[in-house]
């Protein structure tokens, strides 16, 4: 089967915010699958904040995108040709060869997903690394105990919106979320079950946080870094726990951001700050998927998606997500006409 496949390539390293000129959308013709391989038609692509780091030429836990090469990232798709006994035509699979329409992959590089318990794209969001990050962050990294006061930044986003609901499930007495703008803070209260919502764009983060939690914060799930981390350090209780999950406020910075000026407070307050990488917590995937799929079926877990259509829109979807256009998981849907 011969198909043409469009794929996004990084062609220049962005300085600050990524520009369209840093990328190109190229067309290739993937080869037929060799023995042991499958041809996957991607149906959904994930765009994620960590991809910004991969656009820089810096050493990290994951290599940078190569210049002139197709970018990679989470995707789910349908097997349309197979030369592998283990993965038949028609199987819906998740894999790491997103940012393109079609991919020829070794069978070992794809994971067949169960679309009877949730739609395929859920494996890029609530049932994928997004959900596992939220769950692991609040169970293994900065464990929530019944009665805790929990603060979550980036709370209307993919990880944050699930984390708020997980915190409640774990018995938190109060869950506070921060997000950008009144529309998002309203949704935190009305749809995602937060007890208090802070609009960080309105300023005075410390004042807003102290007003929401006069008793102090026990657990902070940090998606944002910068001022949010500083405000959390100032309002944390003795022996508070902080999961350092992300620092999206600095991902486009061109100079190193100063550290939080309130960090010394962590000494007297005996605060634990622990960085996390979801890759260290994939052992929790079966447990999380089992729980989350059940809650989704009962309507007891709200997993929002913001969907953008078309491979040509994938770059815009990424930059829009970075500036807050999404609520819940930002996804790119690839329509296939036959
Ligand atoms: N450690 C890990 O293993 C791991 C795994 C997954 C994700 N993460 C991290 O978790 C965080 C959330 O990821 P996600 O996939 O769930 O993305 P997301 O929250 O769905 O999308 C990013 C959100 O960041 C917010 N944002 C952008 N600039 C900001 C700023 N200057 N200050 C405050 N908020 C800002 C925007 O929401 P507003 O409209 O509210 O500003 C935007 O919607 C990211 O930092 C990501 O790197 C880490």
């Amino acid at each position: 089967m011969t198909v043409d496949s469009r794929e996004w390539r990084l062609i220049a390293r962005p300085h600050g915010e990524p520009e369209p000129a840093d990328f190109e959308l190229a067309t290739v013709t993937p080869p037929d699958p060799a023995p042991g391989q499958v041809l996957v038609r991607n149906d959904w692509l994930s765009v994620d904040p960590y991809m910004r780091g991969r656009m820089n030429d810096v050493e990290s836990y994951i290599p940078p995108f190569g210049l002139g090469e197709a970018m990679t990232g989470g995707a789910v798709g349908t097997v349309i040709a197979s030369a592998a006994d283990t993965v038949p035509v028609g199987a819906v699979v998740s894999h790491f060869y997103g940012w393109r329409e079609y991919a020829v992959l070794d069978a070992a590089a794809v994971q067949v997903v169960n679309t009877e318990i949730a739609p395929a794209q859920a494996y890029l969001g609530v049932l994928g690394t997004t959900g596992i990050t939220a769950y692991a962050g609040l169970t293994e990294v900065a464990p929530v105990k019944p009665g805790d006061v929990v603060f979550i930044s980036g709370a209307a986003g993919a990880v944050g919106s699930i984390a708020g609901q997980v915190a409640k499930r774990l018995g938190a007495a109060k869950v506070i979320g921060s997000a950008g703008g009144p529309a998002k803070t309203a949704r935190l209260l009305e749809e995602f079950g937060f007890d208090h919502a802070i609009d960080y764009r309105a300023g005075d983060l410390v004042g807003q946080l102290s007003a929401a939690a006069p008793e102090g914060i026990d657990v902070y799930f940090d998606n944002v870094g910068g001022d949010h981390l500083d405000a959390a350090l100032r309002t944390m209780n003795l022996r508070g726990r902080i999961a350092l999950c992300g620092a999206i406020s600095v991902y486009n910075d061109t100079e190193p951001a100063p550290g939080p000026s309130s960090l010394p407070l962590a000494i007297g307050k005996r605060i634990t700050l622990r960085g996390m990488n979801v890759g260290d917590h994939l052992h929790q995937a079966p447990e999380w998927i089992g729980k989350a799929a059940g809650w989704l079926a009962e309507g007891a877990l709200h997993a929002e998606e913001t969907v953008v259509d078309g491979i040509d829109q994938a770059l815009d979807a990424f930059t829009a997500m970075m500036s807050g256009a999404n609520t819940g998981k930002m996804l790119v849907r690839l329509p296939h006409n036959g």
Side-chain angles (χ1 to χ4, degrees), residues 89-209:
V89 168
V92 178
V93 294
S94 75
H95 60 84
F96 202 61
Y97 291 82
W99 288 101
R100 69 198 73 191
E101 292 179 296
Y102 295 87
V104 174
L105 301 170
D106 291 345
V110 306
Q111 199 173 10
V112 178
V113 298
N114 179 357
T115 52
E116 283 175 13
I117 58 167
Q121 74 274 18
Y123 291 90
L124 297 177
V126 59
L127 298 188
T129 53
T130 295
I132 300 165
T133 302
Y135 188 62
L138 296 175
T139 55
E140 290 194 336
V141 181
V144 171
K145 296 190 294 233
D148 278 347
V149 176
V150 178
F151 174 44
I152 296 163
S153 57
V159 172
S161 62
I162 302 298
Q165 297 172 82
V166 167
K168 278 277 179 185
R169 289 263 169 194
L170 295 170
K174 185 189 279 187
V175 184
I176 302 157
S178 71
K184 280 195 179 180
T185 51
R187 299 186 78 175
L188 293 185
L189 301 174
E190 288 158 16
E191 292 171 34
F192 296 116
F194 285 79
D195 300 298
H196 291 268
I198 289 173
D199 174 4
Y200 72 85
R201 291 189 188 150
D204 190 17
L205 212 39
V206 175
Q208 290 198 68
L209 205 44

Side-chain angles (χ1 to χ4, degrees), residues 15-280:
H15 186 72
E17 278 187 31
E19 303 285 344
D22 300 327
F23 305 86
E24 72 174 5
L25 186 58
T27 302
V28 296
T29 306
D32 287 335
Q37 291 188 320
V38 292
L39 172 62
V40 179
R41 181 197 70 204
N42 283 339
D43 300 318
W44 296 88
L45 309 178
S46 183
V47 289
D48 300 87
Y50 77 89
M51 292 169 173
R52 177 64 190 87
R54 297 192 70 195
M55 293 171 193
N56 299 334
D57 191 15
V58 292
E59 218 169 287
S60 177
Y61 65 95
I62 188 165
F65 293 129
L67 286 184
E69 294 171 11
M71 297 191 292
T72 52
V76 291
T78 308
V79 174
I80 59 167
S82 176
D85 296 341
T86 49
V87 187
V89 168
V92 178
V93 294
S94 75
H95 60 84
F96 202 61
Y97 291 82
W99 288 101
R100 69 198 73 191
E101 292 179 296
Y102 295 87
V104 174
L105 301 170
D106 291 345
V110 306
Q111 199 173 10
V112 178
V113 298
N114 179 357
T115 52
E116 283 175 13
I117 58 167
Q121 74 274 18
Y123 291 90
L124 297 177
V126 59
L127 298 188
T129 53
T130 295
I132 300 165
T133 302
Y135 188 62
L138 296 175
T139 55
E140 290 194 336
V141 181
V144 171
K145 296 190 294 233
D148 278 347
V149 176
V150 178
F151 174 44
I152 296 163
S153 57
V159 172
S161 62
I162 302 298
Q165 297 172 82
V166 167
K168 278 277 179 185
R169 289 263 169 194
L170 295 170
K174 185 189 279 187
V175 184
I176 302 157
S178 71
K184 280 195 179 180
T185 51
R187 299 186 78 175
L188 293 185
L189 301 174
E190 288 158 16
E191 292 171 34
F192 296 116
F194 285 79
D195 300 298
H196 291 268
I198 289 173
D199 174 4
Y200 72 85
R201 291 189 188 150
D204 190 17
L205 212 39
V206 175
Q208 290 198 68
L209 205 44
S210 306
E215 67 276 59
I217 290 159
D218 302 300
V219 170
Y220 173 45
F221 190 108
D222 188 17
N223 285 315
V224 168
D227 288 355
H228 273 82
L229 179 55
D230 206 64
L233 282 163
R234 288 173 63 178
T235 43
M236 291 300 285
N237 287 329
L238 197 66
R239 298 198 169 78
R241 284 91 65 204
I242 299 180
L244 298 172
C245 175
I248 196 162
S249 66
V250 304
Y251 289 174
N252 279 324
D253 282 3
T254 51
E255 299 295 330
S261 60
S262 299
L263 190 57
L265 289 176
I267 302 164
K269 295 186 183 190
R270 284 79 134 186
I271 291 169
T272 304
L273 294 101
R274 192 169 157 198
M276 72 171 289
N277 183 314
V278 63
D280 297 340

